[in-house]
Amino acid sequence: MLPKYRPPTHPGEMLLEEFLKPSGISQTVLAKHLGWPYARLNEIINGKRGITAASALDLGEALMTGPEFWLNLQRDWDLWHSKQKHYAIQPLPDFADQAVA
């Protein structure tokens, strides 16, 4: 469920606050472990890059969370931000009739 009055937690913030800081692992150590450039990890942590399916697989394996955890965080982030600028679209009449039935 998406929060109504605040953006959901960005996956990078979750990674930093719930995984790296508590375990004392630096971004440099994690980036090397994943085989990623430091910049890629740092951009995710700073909210300048999103989680892709490939990065979700890597993080899920390294942190034993599963990729769905990371993809769900990214999906919620993207959806919440899209909803902030979305204008409602009226349903097509044929589909509106089917929804009532």
Side-chain angles (χ1 to χ4, degrees):
M1 177 177 245
L2 292 177
K4 291 185 180 185
Y5 303 108
R6 65 163 184 83
T9 303
H10 187 275
E13 180 182 354
M14 180 70 72
L15 176 58
L16 180 64
E17 298 297 331
E18 300 296 329
F19 292 90
L20 296 184
K21 283 183 177 179
S23 64
I25 296 172
S26 71
Q27 291 182 46
T28 303
V29 168
L30 181 58
K32 283 182 183 177
H33 181 79
L34 295 170
W36 292 2
Y38 173 82
R40 176 180 176 187
L41 181 60
N42 185 258
E43 288 170 358
I44 289 171
I45 286 175
N46 288 308
K48 299 194 184 292
R49 179 187 286 231
I51 298 290
T52 63
S55 57
L57 285 167
D58 291 349
L59 290 169
E61 290 173 355
L63 302 171
M64 297 177 17
T65 59
E68 296 85 1
F69 175 77
W70 300 103
L71 288 174
N72 287 340
L73 287 170
Q74 187 66 52
R75 178 206 57 213
D76 289 351
W77 176 264
D78 293 342
L79 185 57
W80 190 90
H81 285 279
S82 291
K83 280 185 157 192
Q84 302 313 300
K85 45 191 162 183
H86 178 74
Y87 294 99
I89 304 295
Q90 293 297 318
L92 289 168
D94 290 343
F95 291 96
D97 293 341
Q98 290 176 10
V100 174

